[in-house]
């Protein structure tokens, strides 16, 4: 068993999703994709594997993703750092996120929890 709960093929590549929320967009011409991994409301985080003609990327951090990747581009994960950075990168394409997460209050809470968890991990690494 690969542990993948869902697998989606696109003209750009194949995305395997395990236990998580993913927000993304395939360009209207089908030649590029942008995706981002979102933490669940309960703080759990799954994983995305993305494979195209140039390799495979594992996305397993909150607000990590791929931005404007084509079939020939090596998939290099981008750390957006926060929900607001994701919004900046995706622009108006990300306007539906609040609906996706249920409410803007929920998205703010999710972002705050992810940032707190990241700070705790950094403190543990320093010790």
């Amino acid at each position: 068993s690969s542990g993948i709960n869902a697998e989606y093929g696109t003209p750009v590549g194949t995305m395997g999703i395990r236990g998580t929320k993913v927000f993304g967009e395939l360009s209207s011409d089908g030649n590029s994709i942008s995706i981002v991994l979102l933490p669940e409301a309960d703080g759990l985080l799954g994983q995305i594997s993305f494979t195209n003609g140039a390799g495979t990327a594992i996305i397993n951090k909150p607000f990590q993703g791929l931005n404007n990747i084509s079939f020939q581009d090596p998939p290099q994960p981008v750390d957006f750092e926060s929900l607001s950075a994701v919004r900046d990168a995706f622009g108006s394409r990300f306007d539906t996120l609040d609906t996706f997460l249920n409410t803007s209050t929920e998205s703010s809470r999710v972002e705050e929890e992810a940032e707190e968890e990241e700070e705790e991990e950094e403190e543990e690494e320093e010790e």
Side-chain angles (χ1 to χ4, degrees), residues 5 17-23 36-48 60-63 83 97 100-102 106-115 117:
N5 294 329
I17 302 170
R18 181 173 48 202
T20 197
K21 286 184 180 179
V22 176
F23 186 87
V36 65
L37 176 62
L38 301 170
E40 296 287 339
D42 61 7
L44 293 176
L45 187 70
Q47 171 175 296
I48 305 167
N60 57 10
K61 296 178 185 174
F63 309 113
L83 189 56
L97 177 64
F100 185 71
L101 291 175
N102 298 323
E106 173 71 3
S107 63
S108 297
R109 187 183 64 74
V110 167
E111 178 179 5
E112 289 171 4
E113 289 176 358
E115 288 173 357
E117 183 177 311

Side-chain angles (χ1 to χ4, degrees), residues 59-100:
I59 300 165
N60 57 10
K61 296 178 185 174
F63 309 113
Q64 188 177 52
L66 300 170
N67 201 7
N68 292 316
I69 299 296
S70 74
F71 184 76
Q72 298 86 10
D73 295 330
Q76 296 294 320
V78 175
D79 290 322
F80 291 103
E81 311 258 338
S82 68
L83 189 56
S84 51
V86 172
R87 287 182 191 280
D88 290 345
F90 280 66
S92 63
R93 298 174 292 163
F94 217 64
D95 287 346
T96 58
L97 177 64
D98 289 334
T99 302
F100 185 71

